Amino acid sequence: PSNKSKMIFFGPKFEPWLADDNTSRKQYTKLNNGFQRIIRKHQLSNQIKYIDCLTLFCTKDSATLPGAIYGGKAMADNKYFDADGLHLNDKGYGVWRQMVEETFV
C-alpha cells in the first residue's frame, strides 16, 4: 500500500444475544484486546485505524459504568440491531458510516 492508503479495522461489538452469556462476552473482550495489540505491533500500524466497537452499540449509561467491559455491565442497545440480535440495522450502520467519515476527515 502507498503511504496515503488507510485501512479501517472494526473490532468486535457486544450484541444483544450476548446479554446473558458472560463466557462469550469475555472472549469478545479478549479478541478486541488481541486485535488492538496486533495492530499496534504491525509494521504499517500508522496506516491502520482501529475502531473499538466493543461498547459502541451499547446503551450509553451501561457503557460508561465501572466494570462495563470486564464486569459484564455494558449492554447492547437493541435500537442498533436487526431482530436477529446480531446484525446491525440502518441506525447501526449509520454509526459505522460516521466513524468512517470522521477517520477520513
Side-chain angles (χ1 to χ4, degrees):
S2 72
N3 289 338
K4 295 180 183 180
S5 298
K6 281 190 182 181
M7 181 173 106
I8 298 176
F9 190 104
F10 288 97
K13 63 191 182 315
F14 284 146
E15 298 151 346
W17 70 270
L18 290 168
D20 297 320
D21 187 347
N22 280 337
T23 300
S24 292
R25 291 170 64 85
K26 287 178 183 178
Q27 290 173 339
Y28 270 49
T29 301
K30 286 181 183 179
L31 183 65
N32 185 56
N33 293 340
F35 284 147
Q36 289 182 55
R37 188 172 41 258
I38 289 167
I39 289 169
R40 276 193 307 270
K41 293 179 180 181
H42 194 279
Q43 63 183 356
L44 298 174
S45 63
N46 62 332
Q47 294 174 244
I48 303 170
K49 169 68 175 174
Y50 184 80
I51 297 180
D52 186 345
C53 296
L54 208 55
T55 60
L56 187 62
F57 300 101
C58 290
T59 61
K60 297 305 174 201
D61 56 332
S62 73
T64 57
L65 288 172
I69 295 173
Y70 295 104
K73 295 180 181 177
M75 292 293 142
D77 192 333
N78 288 324
K79 73 181 181 183
Y80 297 114
F81 293 88
D82 277 336
D84 65 6
L86 173 65
H87 296 97
L88 294 173
N89 61 20
D90 288 342
K91 188 170 191 143
Y93 281 115
V95 172
W96 266 2
R97 182 176 48 251
Q98 180 181 351
M99 299 300 286
V100 170
E101 290 170 354
E102 289 173 7
T103 297
F104 288 110
V105 171

XYZ file of all heavy atoms in Angstrom:
851
model
N 0.824 -1.200 0.000
C 0.000 0.000 0.000
C 0.861 1.254 0.000
O 1.940 1.271 0.545
C -0.808 -0.080 1.280
C -0.403 -1.320 1.989
C 0.631 -2.012 1.185
N 0.347 2.291 -0.596
C 1.065 3.562 -0.617
C 0.957 4.210 0.758
O 0.168 3.819 1.596
C 0.480 4.480 -1.674
O -0.779 4.956 -1.253
N 1.750 5.246 0.959
C 1.718 5.952 2.231
C 0.398 6.673 2.469
O 0.102 7.064 3.581
C 2.876 6.950 2.302
C 4.197 6.240 2.456
O 4.248 5.101 2.898
N 5.279 6.905 2.080
N -0.383 6.862 1.415
C -1.661 7.539 1.552
C -2.802 6.572 1.871
O -3.880 6.990 2.226
C -1.989 8.312 0.281
C -1.018 9.445 0.032
C -1.375 10.176 -1.241
C -0.339 11.261 -1.516
N -0.645 11.996 -2.718
N -2.556 5.292 1.736
C -3.595 4.295 1.991
C -3.874 4.184 3.479
O -2.973 4.316 4.302
C -3.163 2.924 1.472
O -2.977 2.943 0.091
N -5.126 3.950 3.787
C -5.534 3.702 5.165
C -6.441 2.494 5.187
O -7.180 2.247 4.244
C -6.304 4.893 5.737
C -5.462 6.035 6.172
C -6.299 7.031 6.931
C -5.485 8.214 7.349
N -6.278 9.182 8.099
N -6.360 1.783 6.270
C -7.264 0.659 6.463
C -8.028 0.922 7.756
O -7.437 1.336 8.759
C -6.494 -0.644 6.585
C -7.412 -1.824 6.763
S -6.524 -3.377 6.711
C -6.570 -3.806 8.424
N -9.305 0.703 7.704
C -10.130 0.816 8.899
C -10.477 -0.597 9.337
O -10.959 -1.410 8.545
C -11.412 1.617 8.635
C -11.058 3.040 8.223
C -12.294 1.627 9.869
C -12.241 3.877 7.848
N -10.216 -0.881 10.593
C -10.484 -2.199 11.151
C -11.520 -2.019 12.253
O -11.259 -1.372 13.258
C -9.192 -2.798 11.721
C -9.294 -4.234 12.098
C -8.737 -5.210 11.301
C -9.944 -4.620 13.257
C -8.827 -6.551 11.649
C -10.047 -5.945 13.616
C -9.480 -6.911 12.811
N -12.696 -2.570 12.034
C -13.753 -2.512 13.043
C -13.631 -3.726 13.950
O -13.682 -4.865 13.487
C -15.141 -2.529 12.390
C -15.493 -1.266 11.682
C -15.322 -1.141 10.323
C -16.007 -0.187 12.386
C -15.655 0.023 9.655
C -16.338 0.985 11.732
C -16.171 1.088 10.366
N -13.467 -3.478 15.236
C -13.367 -4.562 16.198
C -14.726 -5.178 16.491
O -15.762 -4.698 16.026
N -14.734 -6.243 17.281
C -15.993 -6.908 17.633
C -16.873 -5.981 18.481
O -16.381 -5.051 19.112
C -15.546 -8.127 18.429
C -14.205 -7.762 18.972
C -13.592 -6.839 17.955
N -18.156 -6.269 18.459
C -19.115 -5.458 19.210
C -19.945 -6.355 20.126
O -20.201 -7.510 19.806
C -20.033 -4.705 18.249
C -20.893 -5.620 17.385
C -21.581 -4.855 16.264
C -22.485 -5.709 15.414
N -21.976 -7.001 14.980
N -20.299 -5.821 21.282
C -21.261 -6.535 22.117
C -22.600 -6.486 21.396
O -23.005 -5.447 20.874
C -21.387 -5.903 23.501
C -20.236 -6.195 24.429
C -19.821 -5.263 25.345
C -19.575 -7.419 24.398
C -18.774 -5.529 26.216
C -18.521 -7.700 25.250
C -18.124 -6.742 26.165
N -23.284 -7.617 21.369
C -24.547 -7.749 20.652
C -25.630 -8.203 21.619
O -25.329 -8.819 22.642
C -24.365 -8.760 19.519
C -23.318 -8.286 18.515
C -22.582 -9.407 17.801
O -22.668 -10.573 18.228
O -21.895 -9.103 16.810
N -26.899 -7.928 21.306
C -27.982 -8.291 22.222
C -27.995 -9.765 22.643
O -28.286 -10.079 23.798
C -29.251 -7.925 21.438
C -28.819 -6.797 20.567
C -27.403 -7.152 20.160
N -27.634 -10.663 21.753
C -27.688 -12.090 22.104
C -26.657 -12.458 23.162
O -26.752 -13.514 23.789
C -27.521 -12.970 20.859
C -26.140 -12.958 20.267
C -25.662 -12.122 19.313
C -25.056 -13.830 20.602
N -24.341 -12.406 19.029
C -23.949 -13.458 19.817
C -24.910 -14.890 21.494
C -22.724 -14.095 19.890
C -23.682 -15.524 21.568
C -22.606 -15.134 20.768
N -25.692 -11.585 23.426
C -24.655 -11.850 24.425
C -25.066 -11.442 25.840
O -24.300 -11.650 26.776
C -23.371 -11.080 24.072
C -22.594 -11.547 22.862
C -21.535 -10.517 22.491
C -21.957 -12.881 23.135
N -26.225 -10.872 25.994
C -26.628 -10.283 27.276
C -26.422 -11.229 28.457
O -25.959 -10.807 29.514
C -28.079 -9.822 27.207
N -26.751 -12.491 28.308
C -26.647 -13.443 29.418
C -25.530 -14.456 29.219
O -25.511 -15.496 29.879
C -27.983 -14.177 29.589
C -29.109 -13.225 29.955
O -28.857 -12.302 30.761
O -30.218 -13.392 29.434
N -24.602 -14.165 28.335
C -23.523 -15.104 28.022
C -22.172 -14.480 28.388
O -21.458 -13.965 27.530
C -23.576 -15.467 26.534
C -22.605 -16.564 26.148
O -21.710 -16.902 26.958
O -22.721 -17.066 25.016
N -21.837 -14.524 29.675
C -20.600 -13.886 30.130
C -19.355 -14.544 29.556
O -18.344 -13.870 29.351
C -20.534 -13.860 31.655
C -21.355 -12.732 32.233
O -21.622 -11.745 31.557
N -21.769 -12.875 33.473
N -19.413 -15.827 29.271
C -18.263 -16.513 28.685
C -17.937 -15.924 27.317
O -16.783 -15.581 27.030
C -18.516 -18.026 28.565
O -18.766 -18.543 29.880
C -17.338 -18.741 27.958
N -18.943 -15.777 26.464
C -18.725 -15.196 25.142
C -18.332 -13.731 25.240
O -17.489 -13.258 24.475
C -19.972 -15.346 24.271
O -20.187 -16.698 23.969
N -18.913 -13.009 26.193
C -18.560 -11.595 26.371
C -17.075 -11.456 26.700
O -16.394 -10.584 26.186
C -19.423 -10.955 27.455
C -20.887 -10.799 27.046
C -21.744 -10.392 28.232
N -21.385 -9.098 28.748
C -21.841 -7.943 28.263
N -22.680 -7.935 27.245
N -21.477 -6.803 28.801
N -16.576 -12.328 27.555
C -15.153 -12.303 27.913
C -14.288 -12.646 26.703
O -13.225 -12.052 26.499
C -14.875 -13.262 29.062
C -15.406 -12.762 30.384
C -15.166 -13.754 31.501
C -15.793 -13.243 32.786
N -15.645 -14.184 33.892
N -14.744 -13.589 25.881
C -13.998 -13.943 24.676
C -13.968 -12.773 23.693
O -12.941 -12.514 23.053
C -14.590 -15.192 24.027
C -14.340 -16.436 24.836
C -15.062 -17.654 24.278
O -16.044 -17.533 23.536
N -14.590 -18.830 24.641
N -15.068 -12.064 23.559
C -15.116 -10.888 22.694
C -14.128 -9.835 23.191
O -13.441 -9.190 22.404
C -16.527 -10.287 22.671
C -17.440 -10.823 21.595
C -17.590 -12.187 21.393
C -18.168 -9.966 20.792
C -18.439 -12.675 20.419
C -19.026 -10.439 19.815
C -19.156 -11.798 19.626
O -19.994 -12.264 18.660
N -14.067 -9.659 24.510
C -13.150 -8.684 25.093
C -11.704 -9.073 24.821
O -10.888 -8.231 24.429
C -13.405 -8.544 26.607
O -14.762 -8.139 26.801
C -12.485 -7.528 27.236
N -11.383 -10.345 24.980
C -10.028 -10.821 24.689
C -9.698 -10.645 23.209
O -8.588 -10.245 22.855
C -9.876 -12.297 25.074
C -9.795 -12.538 26.547
C -9.626 -14.018 26.837
C -9.614 -14.288 28.316
N -9.471 -15.730 28.603
N -10.648 -10.949 22.349
C -10.457 -10.779 20.912
C -10.191 -9.310 20.579
O -9.263 -8.983 19.828
C -11.695 -11.281 20.169
C -11.675 -11.256 18.653
C -10.613 -12.218 18.111
C -13.049 -11.648 18.117
N -10.973 -8.425 21.161
C -10.807 -6.987 20.954
C -9.403 -6.542 21.384
O -8.714 -5.841 20.644
C -11.878 -6.242 21.755
C -11.869 -4.754 21.511
O -11.981 -4.304 20.377
N -11.748 -3.986 22.569
N -8.981 -6.957 22.553
C -7.657 -6.591 23.049
C -6.556 -7.164 22.160
O -5.553 -6.493 21.894
C -7.471 -7.056 24.487
C -8.376 -6.318 25.452
O -8.870 -5.236 25.167
N -8.617 -6.912 26.606
N -6.739 -8.391 21.694
C -5.754 -9.018 20.813
C -5.621 -8.291 19.490
O -4.504 -8.071 19.013
N -6.742 -7.911 18.889
C -6.697 -7.153 17.632
C -5.938 -5.837 17.823
O -5.106 -5.456 16.999
C -8.101 -6.847 17.118
C -8.810 -8.009 16.482
C -10.187 -8.126 16.585
C -8.126 -8.980 15.771
C -10.860 -9.184 15.987
C -8.787 -10.041 15.179
C -10.160 -10.136 15.287
N -6.222 -5.143 18.909
C -5.545 -3.871 19.160
C -4.036 -4.074 19.313
O -3.239 -3.292 18.776
C -6.118 -3.204 20.408
C -7.527 -2.684 20.194
C -8.064 -1.978 21.406
O -7.444 -1.041 21.905
N -9.218 -2.411 21.886
N -3.654 -5.108 20.033
C -2.234 -5.404 20.251
C -1.533 -5.722 18.927
O -0.448 -5.212 18.639
C -2.101 -6.563 21.241
C -0.723 -6.858 21.707
C -0.659 -7.889 22.840
N -1.567 -9.018 22.706
C -2.729 -9.169 23.365
N -3.130 -8.250 24.213
N -3.486 -10.231 23.188
N -2.160 -6.549 18.104
C -1.570 -6.921 16.808
C -1.406 -5.691 15.917
O -0.373 -5.524 15.270
C -2.436 -7.998 16.120
C -2.299 -9.332 16.862
C -2.065 -8.151 14.654
C -3.330 -10.373 16.465
N -2.408 -4.843 15.887
C -2.339 -3.647 15.046
C -1.242 -2.709 15.531
O -0.498 -2.145 14.726
C -3.710 -2.946 14.979
C -4.668 -3.812 14.140
C -3.598 -1.537 14.400
C -6.101 -3.387 14.199
N -1.112 -2.541 16.852
C -0.049 -1.668 17.388
C 1.332 -2.157 16.961
O 2.232 -1.364 16.739
C -0.119 -1.618 18.915
C -1.107 -0.619 19.459
C -0.905 -0.377 20.947
N -0.886 -1.585 21.750
C -1.951 -2.160 22.309
N -3.131 -1.632 22.151
N -1.830 -3.252 23.033
N 1.502 -3.476 16.849
C 2.803 -4.061 16.509
C 3.030 -4.185 15.002
O 4.141 -4.474 14.567
C 2.945 -5.440 17.151
C 3.018 -5.386 18.660
C 3.139 -6.773 19.230
C 3.224 -6.734 20.750
N 3.377 -8.082 21.303
N 1.995 -3.996 14.216
C 2.094 -4.178 12.768
C 3.008 -3.124 12.165
O 3.020 -1.966 12.591
C 0.705 -4.094 12.128
C 0.668 -4.585 10.723
N 1.060 -3.802 9.667
C 0.297 -5.783 10.210
C 0.924 -4.493 8.554
N 0.456 -5.700 8.855
N 3.771 -3.508 11.152
C 4.715 -2.574 10.531
C 4.034 -1.366 9.894
O 4.657 -0.324 9.716
C 5.583 -3.284 9.500
C 4.819 -3.853 8.327
C 5.719 -4.619 7.378
O 6.917 -4.667 7.559
N 5.117 -5.215 6.361
N 2.780 -1.489 9.545
C 2.043 -0.369 8.952
C 0.981 0.175 9.915
O -0.044 0.704 9.489
C 1.386 -0.802 7.638
C 2.343 -1.241 6.531
C 1.577 -1.777 5.332
C 3.264 -0.106 6.126
N 1.236 0.049 11.191
C 0.233 0.439 12.188
C -0.197 1.903 12.050
O -1.336 2.245 12.371
C 0.744 0.181 13.601
O 1.884 0.971 13.864
N 0.683 2.747 11.548
C 0.321 4.155 11.383
C -0.702 4.360 10.263
O -1.274 5.433 10.131
C 1.564 5.014 11.130
C 2.299 4.626 9.861
O 2.249 3.476 9.426
N 2.995 5.576 9.277
N -0.939 3.335 9.465
C -1.917 3.429 8.380
C -3.204 2.660 8.695
O -4.105 2.598 7.867
C -1.302 2.891 7.088
C -0.155 3.751 6.584
C 0.523 3.122 5.394
O 1.684 2.773 5.461
N -0.217 2.957 4.320
N -3.255 2.065 9.886
C -4.426 1.282 10.275
C -5.161 2.021 11.386
O -4.591 2.345 12.418
C -4.030 -0.121 10.771
C -3.234 -0.867 9.698
C -5.282 -0.907 11.174
C -2.606 -2.162 10.184
N -6.419 2.281 11.152
C -7.272 2.911 12.161
C -8.147 1.821 12.764
O -8.967 1.220 12.078
C -8.131 3.998 11.508
C -9.222 4.545 12.378
C -8.687 5.326 13.541
C -9.850 5.952 14.300
N -9.476 6.611 15.499
N -7.929 1.538 14.041
C -8.741 0.541 14.734
C -9.898 1.252 15.399
O -9.705 2.204 16.149
C -7.917 -0.204 15.792
C -8.705 -1.305 16.460
C -8.865 -2.523 15.822
C -9.303 -1.121 17.690
C -9.602 -3.540 16.401
C -10.038 -2.122 18.277
C -10.185 -3.328 17.636
O -10.924 -4.333 18.211
N -11.091 0.791 15.117
C -12.277 1.357 15.754
C -12.790 0.326 16.753
O -13.220 -0.762 16.389
C -13.353 1.732 14.721
C -12.790 2.818 13.801
C -14.627 2.194 15.424
C -13.709 3.300 12.731
N -12.667 0.697 18.010
C -13.086 -0.171 19.111
C -14.606 -0.120 19.201
O -15.185 0.867 19.642
C -12.438 0.302 20.404
C -12.696 -0.620 21.572
O -13.592 -1.482 21.480
O -11.999 -0.469 22.590
N -15.237 -1.170 18.753
C -16.705 -1.222 18.707
C -17.319 -1.954 19.891
O -18.542 -2.094 19.954
C -17.152 -1.920 17.422
S -16.713 -1.051 15.923
N -16.492 -2.420 20.819
C -16.999 -3.267 21.882
C -18.222 -2.669 22.565
O -19.233 -3.332 22.735
C -15.885 -3.551 22.894
C -15.991 -4.850 23.652
C -16.098 -6.055 22.731
C -14.811 -5.027 24.582
N -18.151 -1.405 22.933
C -19.297 -0.770 23.588
C -19.946 0.316 22.730
O -20.819 1.034 23.205
C -18.891 -0.161 24.946
O -17.885 0.828 24.732
C -18.385 -1.220 25.907
N -19.532 0.408 21.479
C -20.049 1.452 20.590
C -21.564 1.378 20.416
O -22.237 2.394 20.277
C -19.358 1.352 19.229
C -19.629 2.438 18.215
C -19.144 3.804 18.729
C -18.934 2.117 16.904
N -22.105 0.177 20.448
C -23.540 -0.017 20.226
C -24.269 -0.406 21.510
O -25.335 -1.004 21.471
C -23.763 -1.064 19.136
C -23.139 -0.664 17.833
C -21.929 -1.194 17.426
C -23.743 0.284 17.025
C -21.337 -0.811 16.231
C -23.158 0.690 15.831
C -21.952 0.138 15.431
N -23.677 -0.050 22.636
C -24.307 -0.311 23.933
C -25.066 0.920 24.391
O -24.812 2.026 23.916
C -23.243 -0.676 24.973
S -22.496 -2.293 24.689
N -25.966 0.712 25.336
C -26.652 1.864 25.908
C -25.602 2.745 26.549
O -24.630 2.252 27.139
C -27.701 1.438 26.958
O -27.049 0.742 28.015
C -28.781 0.553 26.345
N -25.744 4.039 26.403
C -24.725 4.975 26.890
C -24.531 4.855 28.399
O -23.408 4.933 28.887
C -25.077 6.418 26.510
C -25.123 6.652 25.023
C -23.824 6.247 24.334
C -23.936 6.360 22.833
N -22.970 5.571 22.117
N -25.616 4.659 29.144
C -25.463 4.560 30.591
C -24.739 3.278 31.002
O -23.937 3.280 31.924
C -26.809 4.689 31.309
C -27.841 3.676 30.845
O -27.769 3.236 29.681
O -28.728 3.321 31.641
N -24.948 2.171 30.313
C -24.276 0.922 30.688
C -22.830 0.886 30.203
O -21.969 0.277 30.838
C -25.030 -0.300 30.157
O -24.882 -0.440 28.750
N -22.525 1.549 29.101
C -21.175 1.522 28.528
C -20.174 2.294 29.366
O -18.975 2.057 29.277
C -21.194 2.074 27.105
N -20.651 3.201 30.198
C -19.742 4.029 30.984
C -19.675 3.623 32.452
O -18.959 4.245 33.232
C -20.145 5.514 30.882
O -21.495 5.660 31.321
C -20.009 6.017 29.443
N -20.396 2.589 32.827
C -20.358 2.114 34.213
C -19.007 1.494 34.543
O -18.385 0.872 33.680
C -21.427 1.035 34.431
C -22.879 1.455 34.464
C -23.764 0.217 34.493
C -23.151 2.311 35.687
N -18.551 1.627 35.785
C -17.363 0.866 36.180
C -17.656 -0.628 35.987
O -18.726 -1.103 36.351
C -17.198 1.212 37.658
C -17.918 2.517 37.833
C -19.052 2.481 36.844
N -16.739 -1.334 35.379
C -16.956 -2.752 35.106
C -17.784 -3.009 33.867
O -18.265 -4.117 33.655
N -17.953 -1.989 33.031
C -18.788 -2.129 31.834
C -18.305 -3.268 30.949
O -19.100 -4.086 30.491
C -18.821 -0.821 31.060
N -17.003 -3.332 30.719
C -16.467 -4.337 29.807
C -16.149 -5.633 30.539
O -16.640 -6.692 30.194
C -15.228 -3.788 29.073
C -15.646 -2.629 28.172
C -14.539 -4.878 28.266
C -14.498 -1.895 27.532
N -15.329 -5.544 31.573
C -14.877 -6.770 32.240
C -15.886 -7.299 33.247
O -15.859 -8.468 33.578
C -13.523 -6.529 32.904
C -12.444 -6.251 31.886
C -11.972 -4.970 31.674
C -11.930 -7.274 31.108
C -11.001 -4.710 30.722
C -10.966 -7.031 30.146
C -10.501 -5.749 29.968
O -9.552 -5.505 29.022
N -16.773 -6.448 33.716
C -17.773 -6.879 34.678
C -19.097 -7.265 34.062
O -20.048 -7.621 34.752
N -19.172 -7.215 32.739
C -20.389 -7.627 32.051
C -21.548 -6.666 32.184
O -22.700 -7.051 32.002
N -21.270 -5.409 32.481
C -22.358 -4.450 32.679
C -22.762 -3.701 31.417
O -23.845 -3.143 31.354
C -21.970 -3.458 33.776
C -21.816 -4.121 35.131
C -21.441 -3.135 36.197
C -21.272 -3.848 37.531
N -20.837 -2.930 38.578
N -21.900 -3.664 30.413
C -22.240 -2.982 29.160
C -23.250 -3.830 28.395
O -23.000 -5.000 28.115
C -20.992 -2.759 28.315
N -24.379 -3.254 28.083
C -25.451 -3.974 27.398
C -25.743 -3.365 26.034
O -25.901 -2.142 25.915
C -26.738 -3.939 28.233
C -26.644 -4.731 29.518
S -26.501 -6.483 29.151
C -25.352 -6.988 30.406
N -25.792 -4.219 25.034
C -26.091 -3.769 23.677
C -27.464 -3.103 23.644
O -28.396 -3.542 24.311
C -26.049 -4.945 22.710
N -27.559 -2.053 22.867
C -28.808 -1.312 22.715
C -29.516 -1.839 21.471
O -29.010 -1.714 20.351
C -28.490 0.176 22.572
C -29.718 1.055 22.692
O -30.827 0.576 22.385
O -29.555 2.221 23.077
N -30.683 -2.418 21.666
C -31.436 -3.031 20.569
C -31.747 -2.063 19.431
O -31.988 -2.503 18.307
C -32.737 -3.641 21.089
C -32.484 -4.884 21.899
O -31.586 -5.671 21.595
N -33.264 -5.067 22.956
N -31.720 -0.765 19.689
C -32.069 0.196 18.640
C -31.076 0.172 17.477
O -31.381 0.667 16.403
C -32.201 1.606 19.196
C -30.894 2.276 19.577
C -31.149 3.664 20.141
C -29.842 4.357 20.518
N -30.099 5.664 21.117
N -29.891 -0.424 17.670
C -28.879 -0.501 16.617
C -28.876 -1.828 15.858
O -28.109 -2.001 14.920
C -27.484 -0.298 17.200
C -27.277 1.063 17.811
C -27.063 1.215 19.171
C -27.297 2.215 17.021
C -26.862 2.466 19.731
C -27.103 3.466 17.576
C -26.886 3.585 18.937
O -26.684 4.822 19.492
N -29.712 -2.776 16.258
C -29.635 -4.134 15.726
C -30.931 -4.591 15.067
O -32.025 -4.196 15.463
C -29.294 -5.117 16.857
C -27.922 -4.920 17.412
C -27.693 -4.029 18.452
C -26.840 -5.602 16.884
C -26.415 -3.831 18.965
C -25.561 -5.412 17.382
C -25.351 -4.525 18.422
N -30.761 -5.474 14.077
C -31.908 -6.150 13.486
C -32.510 -7.089 14.524
O -31.915 -7.341 15.575
C -31.480 -6.958 12.252
C -31.402 -6.108 10.993
O -32.070 -5.052 10.928
O -30.669 -6.506 10.069
N -33.637 -7.652 14.197
C -34.357 -8.532 15.114
C -33.545 -9.774 15.494
O -33.788 -10.367 16.543
C -35.687 -8.944 14.502
N -32.560 -10.153 14.676
C -31.762 -11.347 14.992
C -30.779 -11.120 16.133
O -30.166 -12.058 16.636
C -31.031 -11.872 13.751
C -29.975 -10.919 13.194
O -29.701 -9.864 13.817
O -29.420 -11.227 12.133
N -30.609 -9.869 16.567
C -29.720 -9.573 17.688
C -28.242 -9.669 17.356
O -27.397 -9.617 18.237
N -27.918 -9.804 16.087
C -26.531 -9.944 15.648
C -26.140 -8.850 14.652
O -25.150 -8.156 14.833
C -26.316 -11.325 15.024
C -24.969 -11.585 14.361
C -23.852 -11.548 15.388
C -24.988 -12.939 13.658
N -26.940 -8.716 13.620
C -26.608 -7.776 12.541
C -27.103 -6.373 12.863
O -28.156 -6.198 13.482
C -27.221 -8.263 11.220
C -26.646 -9.557 10.783
N -27.256 -10.758 11.036
C -25.494 -9.845 10.142
C -26.518 -11.739 10.559
N -25.430 -11.212 10.009
N -26.333 -5.395 12.417
C -26.733 -4.009 12.607
C -27.889 -3.653 11.676
O -28.016 -4.199 10.591
C -25.555 -3.077 12.303
C -24.362 -3.177 13.249
C -23.212 -2.324 12.732
C -24.736 -2.767 14.656
N -28.720 -2.725 12.118
C -29.780 -2.192 11.268
C -29.274 -0.883 10.646
O -28.097 -0.539 10.786
C -31.072 -2.000 12.074
C -30.898 -1.021 13.227
O -29.984 -0.199 13.256
N -31.796 -1.108 14.201
N -30.150 -0.151 9.978
C -29.736 1.095 9.326
C -29.144 2.093 10.320
O -28.162 2.773 10.008
C -30.913 1.735 8.588
C -31.300 0.959 7.337
O -30.476 0.152 6.852
O -32.423 1.168 6.843
N -29.710 2.177 11.508
C -29.200 3.108 12.511
C -27.789 2.698 12.958
O -26.908 3.535 13.122
C -30.140 3.167 13.715
C -29.805 4.233 14.700
C -30.899 4.395 15.739
C -30.634 5.653 16.528
N -31.824 6.352 16.886
N -27.571 1.407 13.130
C -26.246 0.901 13.492
C -25.223 1.159 12.410
O -24.098 1.601 12.687
N -25.594 0.909 11.156
C -24.677 1.187 10.052
C -24.418 2.684 9.910
O -23.353 3.101 9.465
C -25.192 0.587 8.742
C -24.929 -0.890 8.659
C -25.967 -1.809 8.631
C -23.631 -1.383 8.631
C -25.728 -3.167 8.572
C -23.364 -2.739 8.575
C -24.426 -3.630 8.545
O -24.172 -4.969 8.495
N -25.379 3.499 10.315
C -25.170 4.939 10.313
C -24.056 5.341 11.271
O -23.261 6.245 10.975
N -23.975 4.665 12.413
C -22.897 4.927 13.367
C -21.560 4.547 12.743
O -20.580 5.296 12.834
C -23.129 4.157 14.686
C -21.921 4.264 15.606
C -24.391 4.651 15.376
N -21.503 3.386 12.106
C -20.269 2.976 11.429
C -19.879 3.972 10.341
O -18.720 4.335 10.218
C -20.443 1.590 10.810
C -19.974 0.473 11.688
C -19.470 0.557 12.945
C -19.952 -0.898 11.346
N -19.155 -0.679 13.409
C -19.440 -1.604 12.450
C -20.333 -1.609 10.226
C -19.289 -2.985 12.449
C -20.183 -2.986 10.229
C -19.665 -3.659 11.334
N -20.852 4.396 9.557
C -20.583 5.350 8.477
C -19.976 6.634 9.054
O -19.002 7.179 8.518
C -21.855 5.668 7.695
C -21.633 6.624 6.533
C -22.883 6.875 5.691
N -24.063 7.193 6.472
C -25.119 6.375 6.642
N -25.154 5.188 6.073
N -26.144 6.738 7.381
N -20.519 7.099 10.162
C -20.000 8.303 10.808
C -18.547 8.089 11.249
O -17.713 8.980 11.085
C -20.866 8.661 12.009
C -20.407 9.888 12.743
C -21.286 10.205 13.944
O -22.345 9.609 14.149
N -20.849 11.142 14.753
N -18.231 6.915 11.772
C -16.857 6.624 12.198
C -15.908 6.649 10.993
O -14.806 7.175 11.084
C -16.790 5.267 12.891
C -17.639 5.160 14.142
S -17.223 6.331 15.426
C -15.713 5.642 16.031
N -16.343 6.101 9.871
C -15.517 6.099 8.657
C -15.308 7.529 8.174
O -14.188 7.932 7.856
C -16.146 5.219 7.555
C -15.427 5.420 6.226
C -16.145 3.760 7.969
N -16.374 8.302 8.125
C -16.262 9.693 7.672
C -15.323 10.492 8.555
O -14.506 11.269 8.070
C -17.646 10.333 7.610
C -18.495 9.784 6.487
C -19.951 10.228 6.542
O -20.362 10.889 7.533
O -20.698 9.892 5.603
N -15.400 10.299 9.867
C -14.527 11.018 10.796
C -13.070 10.591 10.599
O -12.160 11.398 10.784
C -14.958 10.770 12.241
C -16.245 11.452 12.604
C -16.760 11.087 13.977
O -16.035 10.384 14.736
O -17.873 11.490 14.312
N -12.838 9.353 10.222
C -11.488 8.851 10.024
C -10.830 9.505 8.816
O -9.627 9.775 8.824
C -11.519 7.310 9.826
O -12.021 6.731 11.013
C -10.136 6.766 9.540
N -11.600 9.807 7.790
C -11.034 10.350 6.561
C -11.116 11.868 6.476
O -10.767 12.437 5.447
C -11.699 9.707 5.341
C -11.273 8.282 5.159
C -12.163 7.247 5.394
C -9.984 7.977 4.781
C -11.765 5.925 5.258
C -9.571 6.660 4.627
C -10.471 5.633 4.868
N -11.550 12.512 7.508
C -11.612 13.988 7.502
C -10.266 14.550 7.891
O -9.519 14.048 8.618
C -12.707 14.496 8.456
C -12.634 15.989 8.632
C -14.065 14.095 7.953
